[in-house]
Amino acid sequence: MLYLVALLLHCLPLAMGQYDICKSWVTTDDGPSWEFYACQPKAMRMKDYVTVRVDPAGITCGDPPERFCTHENPYLCSDECDASNPDLAHPPKLMFDSEDEGLATYWQSVTWRRYPEPLLANITLSWNKSIELTDDIVITFEYGRPTIMMLEKSLDNGRTWHPYQYYADDCMEAFSMPARRVRDLSTTSANRVLCTEEYSRWAGSKKEKTVRFEVRDRFAIFAGPDLKNMDNLYTRLESAKGLKDFFTVTDLRMRLLRPALGGTYVQRENLYKYFYAVSNIEVTGRCKCNLHANLCTFKEGSLQCECEHNTTGQDCGKCKKNFRSRSWRAGSYLPLPNGSPNACAAAGSAFGNCECYGHSHRCSYIDFLNVVTCVSCKHNTRGQHCQHCRLGFYRNSSAELDDENVCIECNCNQIGSMHDRCNETGYCECKEGATGPKCDDCLPNYYWRQGCFPNVCDDELLLCQNGGTCYQNQRCVCPVGFKGVLCQQSRCEADKKDCDGAPSTHSSLRTLLLGALALQLRGWVDL
Ligand SMILES: *[C@@H]1O[C@H](CO)[C@@H](O)[C@H](O)[C@H]1NC(C)=O
Ligand SMILES: *[C@@H]1O[C@H](CO)[C@@H](O)[C@H](O)[C@H]1NC(C)=O
Ligand SMILES: *[C@@H]1O[C@H](CO)[C@@H](O)[C@H](O)[C@H]1NC(C)=O
Ligand SMILES: *[C@@H]1O[C@H](CO)[C@@H](O)[C@H](O)[C@H]1NC(C)=O
Ligand SMILES: *[C@@H]1O[C@H](CO)[C@@H](O)[C@H](O)[C@H]1NC(C)=O
Ligand SMILES: [Ca+2]
């Protein structure tokens, strides 16, 4: 059975399409075996896999229901948007449905009733997966294109955003940028972020409805007008820094900054004709699988590469377990026409046996021990295979051995701990009286002062005597007539002269005075 499949694969011609297959069964002088190639999934209609978010809240029309009119019929304001009526509602999902012949379905914003406050809306598309654009992004606006808008992209699932293209009927006025056209870009500026006036001017709302992000025109700079010379494009994608990333996104955001004005200035007496309406957003691209997969499937709500070449991960961005004898690399379009698979290799051969879990790129043979060992383990690892943590670090139990975060610093308190090593769960070894995982706390009946010391006094067993007060468990503050660690000793007993001949009345007066003094002293201490 396997053999049959293999034979079938063998018969598939490579010319089926560039980089379409990841491996084939070939017969060589040494017998039949697998041959591997760089491969990538087919381009797909990415709007089928997107999640959308429209901001700010309340920007979608129809709640409460409202009337609007169009630039063609500015005084016939009989159209209505009503979110509670399916026939009159315009929710965001209508930007991604398939358009039947005839009637367009569209998302629509509220009207510009708050003029002169700007009418702003963000439409954010997220895939939770890296996508490589293969064709133009085409946004279709009903009732006129925005006079100012911006396209932004994210490469990290929406954590950071970058401008992708600016659109305005007057680029200088809107963005202080000169207007340019993608067609005029050169091989060295193909990934320039520019402002274009080609998609913002008024041409009648029925006539020109689309706003484009020109991917094909940029490809054509390398591959020629009909994209015939794709080899040249692929070569450039490998060699020109940042070019591949320019066409890669995880998220896109349309920032709508000013609606269509119908070719004139804003007419304040009729604000019902200013709004945004988007009927379709077409995004064509392929899953980014680092040239290690030719299939990408939609599983549990996310796109996922079906990784080959013994790679794994959502983008095939790392080597599978037990295939880490050399560090992971993306496949390459070069050399033409089949590229290089740069497959992950199993631990097997003599030198291949030296796995370093990705913490070192170098092995060395130690002659007198007859072993191969990893050199200069990074990420705070050590050992023959960089499989241990350096002293002063411990193993992160939620991280795999090849994770950069595999070793966590012990971080023992320098004063409270015996040394800066810790056990497998990050506990340091504490000096007497100290406690806590990092030895930065004291046990009960100890106080902290550059380390832990046993309490001298407290409120329970080691009470200060004779009206003395305990200062931060460190010492008793004694009234004038007393001394000793717990003020237990009367100065009279220690020094008879002090009390000799003093009448008892005087003595009691003195005690009173001392009590007052002690109270005052306590107040001072508390301050
Ligand atoms: C749109 O997104 C940008 C960031 O990309 C943000 O600064 C802006 O406030 C958002 N606008 C609205 C109306 O949510
Ligand atoms: C994004 O994709 C990852 C990997 O497939 C998955 O674990 C995660 O749950 C997804 N997140 C969302 C918000 O769908
Ligand atoms: C991946 O590993 C399997 C064994 O699990 C092996 O048969 C196959 O040839 C390997 N593929 C590559 C591209 O190295
Ligand atoms: C442990 O590893 C996980 C997975 O890489 C990482 O998210 C986490 O931050 C690590 N913990 C510490 C304390 O570094
Ligand atoms: C590490 O030390 C703490 C405290 O002494 C202890 O509770 C824990 O079980 C130790 N962990 C291991 C793996 O020995
Ligand atoms: Ca639609």
Side-chain angles (χ1 to χ4, degrees):
M1 179 64 195
L2 188 70
Y3 192 65
L4 194 68
V5 173
L7 268 178
L8 276 173
L9 278 175
H10 181 43
C11 298
L12 279 176
L14 271 179
M16 174 181 135
Q18 230 168 344
Y19 309 113
D20 272 0
I21 58 173
C22 298
K23 60 182 172 191
S24 79
W25 187 248
V26 294
T27 318
T28 62
D29 292 346
D30 302 333
S33 68
W34 286 108
E35 203 167 85
F36 300 99
Y37 316 103
C39 52
Q40 60 187 6
K42 285 194 182 38
M44 308 192 282
R45 250 175 37 166
M46 285 297 167
K47 74 173 184 182
D48 297 344
Y49 309 100
V50 79
T51 51
V52 64
R53 185 191 155 96
V54 177
D55 288 307
I59 189 71
T60 300
C61 70
D63 184 18
E66 67 178 315
R67 286 183 184 289
F68 63 95
C69 34
T70 64
H71 292 294
E72 269 75 26
N73 276 322
Y75 298 103
L76 192 73
C77 299
S78 55
D79 287 327
E80 199 182 349
C81 177
D82 182 350
S84 63
N85 178 341
D87 292 335
L88 299 175
H90 293 283
K93 67 171 188 223
L94 297 183
M95 295 185 276
F96 307 99
D97 56 350
S98 13
E99 298 280 316
D100 291 330
E101 291 294 313
L103 225 52
T105 55
Y106 49 91
W107 166 80
Q108 186 175 321
S109 75
V110 296
T111 62
W112 204 355
R113 58 195 172 205
R114 292 234 180 110
Y115 182 85
E117 197 180 294
L119 180 62
L120 303 178
N122 282 353
I123 303 172
T124 307
L125 313 186
S126 306
W127 283 275
N128 189 26
K129 169 83 188 78
S130 312
I131 307 291
E132 291 167 341
L133 300 176
T134 57
D135 208 333
D136 292 4
I137 298 169
V138 185
I139 309 150
T140 310
F141 287 88
E142 304 296 320
Y143 306 111
R145 303 175 294 190
T147 46
I148 306 180
M149 81 170 249
M150 215 183 132
L151 183 66
E152 291 182 328
K153 73 167 214 178
S154 172
L155 254 170
D156 53 9
N157 294 318
R159 273 183 288 281
T160 58
W161 291 90
H162 311 279
Y164 216 4
Q165 191 146 306
Y166 296 86
Y167 302 84
D169 53 358
D170 184 336
C171 281
M172 217 51 193
E173 181 207 63
F175 297 112
S176 306
M177 292 171 82
R180 302 182 68 121
R181 294 184 310 176
V182 170
R183 266 169 299 178
D184 301 333
L185 293 175
S186 69
T187 49
T188 51
S189 60
N191 55 352
R192 175 166 298 174
V193 174
L194 51 76
C195 182
T196 174
E197 295 178 353
E198 287 198 74
Y199 306 101
S200 309
R201 273 163 311 193
W202 178 253
S205 63
K206 296 263 160 50
K207 221 164 126 213
E208 290 190 16
K209 296 176 153 191
T210 58
V211 172
R212 282 176 181 268
F213 177 77
E214 305 92 334
V215 172
R216 286 182 81 86
D217 282 350
R218 284 180 163 91
F219 283 175
I221 295 169
F222 307 107
D226 300 321
L227 304 187
K228 287 235 170 73
N229 190 358
M230 287 301 275
D231 280 359
N232 193 34
L233 173 64
Y234 287 133
T235 306
R236 294 304 286 244
L237 283 173
E238 286 297 342
S239 58
K241 199 164 173 282
L243 194 60
K244 240 188 210 173
D245 276 353
F246 181 78
F247 297 106
T248 308
V249 307
T250 58
D251 304 65
L252 288 169
R253 175 175 288 161
M254 276 128 250
R255 294 179 64 182
L256 309 180
L257 300 170
R258 194 175 68 194
L261 303 183
T264 58
Y265 56 91
V266 180
Q267 291 170 317
R268 306 190 62 153
E269 70 282 3
N270 190 357
L271 295 171
Y272 297 116
K273 61 178 179 175
Y274 304 116
F275 55 86
Y276 306 106
V278 178
S279 58
N280 194 43
I281 301 177
E282 206 63 57
V283 180
T284 312
R286 62 166 60 98
C287 291
K288 172 182 170 161
C289 302
N290 287 299
L291 294 173
H292 288 311
N294 61 354
L295 284 176
C296 186
T297 51
F298 196 59
K299 270 192 251 170
E300 289 146 21
S302 279
L303 288 166
Q304 167 84 47
C305 300
E306 300 279 336
C307 302
E308 300 267 1
H309 303 159
N310 292 312
T311 61
T312 185
Q314 204 186 15
D315 301 350
C316 310
K318 54 183 189 175
C319 291
K320 262 168 56 179
K321 245 196 163 86
N322 302 325
F323 289 91
R324 291 173 188 154
S325 67
R326 54 173 178 255
S327 48
W328 176 89
R329 281 166 68 199
S332 168
Y333 289 120
L334 303 177
L336 300 164
N338 295 331
S340 320
N342 293 336
C344 293
S349 59
F351 268 88
N353 214 354
C354 183
E355 171 155 41
C356 301
Y357 297 103
H359 302 305
S360 165
H361 296 309
R362 222 145 46 84
C363 290
S364 157
Y365 177 68
I366 303 176
D367 210 2
F368 66 93
L369 291 175
N370 189 27
V371 293
V372 179
T373 180
C374 304
V375 177
S376 319
C377 296
K378 286 182 298 188
H379 312 132
N380 303 309
T381 61
R382 65 173 178 91
Q384 188 185 359
H385 304 289
C386 306
Q387 79 275 36
H388 298 304
C389 288
R390 272 174 46 199
L391 287 182
F393 292 81
Y394 69 104
R395 175 76 198 274
N396 179 347
S397 57
S398 58
E400 299 252 10
L401 215 43
D402 63 341
D403 196 310
E404 285 190 11
N405 298 314
V406 69
C407 294
I408 305 173
E409 194 169 2
C410 290
N411 224 349
C412 302
N413 186 293
Q414 288 199 347
I415 299 167
S417 58
M418 310 276 272
H419 43 69
D420 57 10
R421 300 191 292 278
C422 55
N423 75 6
E424 287 143 62
T425 45
Y427 277 79
C428 304
E429 206 178 323
C430 300
K431 288 186 189 156
E432 194 208 327
T435 186
K438 306 299 167 198
C439 308
D440 49 5
D441 251 341
C442 292
L443 289 169
N445 302 323
Y446 285 80
Y447 69 93
W448 181 270
R449 191 175 130 221
Q450 306 285 307
C452 294
F453 294 92
N455 285 351
V456 173
C457 54
D458 60 26
D459 298 333
E460 289 157 26
L461 295 170
L462 300 165
L463 284 170
C464 298
Q465 312 286 305
N466 297 310
T469 50
C470 182
Y471 174 63
Q472 295 183 355
N473 302 109
Q474 294 173 19
R475 61 192 162 90
C476 288
V477 178
C478 300
V480 169
F482 298 95
K483 61 181 201 176
V485 175
L486 293 174
C487 314
Q488 74 281 24
Q489 202 175 3
S490 160
R491 285 184 189 275
C492 296
E493 282 167 31
D495 189 355
K496 288 275 194 232
K497 272 179 273 170
D498 240 16
C499 345
D500 267 359
S504 57
T505 45
H506 277 188
S507 168
S508 62
L509 186 66
R510 198 160 73 170
T511 311
L512 239 157
L513 276 170
L514 281 177
L517 242 167
L519 274 173
Q520 229 174 354
L521 201 62
R522 195 183 307 186
W524 172 75
V525 164
D526 280 348
L527 275 176

